[in-house]
Amino acid sequence: MITKQQGKRRNMREAAFKIVFASLFIEQTMKFRQEIYKLVQLPADCCEDADKLVDSVLNNKQELLEVLSKYCIRYKVEHLFYTDKAFLLLALAEMKYFTDVNHIIIVDEIVSIAKKYSTEHGLSFINGVLAAYIKDIELNAYITHILENTEE
């Protein structure tokens, strides 16, 4: 069962996805964002969170694409389906630039939303790329922890 707060975050992520997806084709305006927020009936506090998430994708798009290319083993980033690319950019940005949500929850939410917009192959691909990214983050954190504790 999804709590009210979880539902708000999911709606926020879905609105952010729609904006990031559209940004792959057209230049974004605040009016466009506001129309999306109105369309999905996003509360004002969630609009602010969605703006922060979208801005983190758009302002760091090149860096996120480089990270993404590292984890797209047999695919070139420019050949990915736009829906899958938008979901991956969104999830990577949230994991990389926001620390208030567990990475597993982000992946779960992104995959849940992607069920509406992507294919079975796309869901597996998104899940696999994000799992590999999380595994590397955890491994790097573990190595850093060990190194910090052995220097003493």
Side-chain angles (χ1 to χ4, degrees):
M1 178 186 236
I2 296 176
T3 67
K4 186 175 183 178
Q5 183 62 26
Q6 290 169 324
K8 286 173 71 174
R9 292 220 34 120
R10 182 173 290 181
N11 289 342
M12 180 276 295
R13 284 187 183 97
E14 187 166 356
F17 159 73
K18 290 177 180 185
I19 295 165
V20 169
F21 176 76
S23 76
L24 299 173
F25 301 98
I26 60 172
E27 190 73 29
Q28 294 299 299
T29 64
M30 283 309 289
K31 185 175 191 239
F32 177 79
R33 288 186 192 192
Q34 291 165 350
E35 290 298 319
I36 294 293
Y37 299 153
K38 189 174 9 173
L39 183 69
V40 299
Q41 300 175 343
L42 203 61
D45 60 325
C46 291
C47 293
E48 292 173 22
D49 290 341
D51 279 337
K52 289 176 188 173
L53 185 53
V54 169
D55 288 341
S56 73
V57 172
L58 299 180
N59 294 337
N60 300 290
K61 189 174 178 181
Q62 191 56 45
E63 179 183 350
L64 293 169
L65 287 170
E66 289 170 12
V67 170
L68 187 54
S69 68
K70 178 181 175 184
Y71 295 95
C72 294
I73 306 299
R74 294 183 303 245
Y75 299 93
K76 291 187 176 192
V77 172
E78 55 272 6
H79 295 153
L80 295 178
F81 289 116
Y82 286 107
T83 52
D84 298 345
K85 186 187 293 187
F87 281 121
L88 288 165
L89 290 171
L90 199 60
L92 288 173
E94 191 168 5
M95 286 190 271
K96 194 167 173 55
Y97 304 116
F98 299 90
T99 59
D100 62 333
V101 181
N102 183 294
H103 293 164
I104 302 301
I105 292 171
I106 294 168
V107 173
D108 184 56
E109 286 288 317
I110 290 295
V111 170
S112 292
I113 298 166
K115 287 178 182 176
K116 290 171 64 174
Y117 301 99
S118 190
T119 64
E120 276 300 314
H121 175 72
L123 294 174
S124 296
F125 181 74
I126 290 166
N127 196 38
V129 168
L130 296 177
Y133 179 73
I134 291 171
K135 184 178 175 184
D136 278 359
I137 289 173
E138 290 173 351
L139 180 61
N140 288 337
Y142 179 71
I143 291 169
T144 301
H145 174 73
I146 288 179
L147 291 174
E148 288 173 351
N149 289 326
T150 58
E151 290 176 357
E152 295 175 353

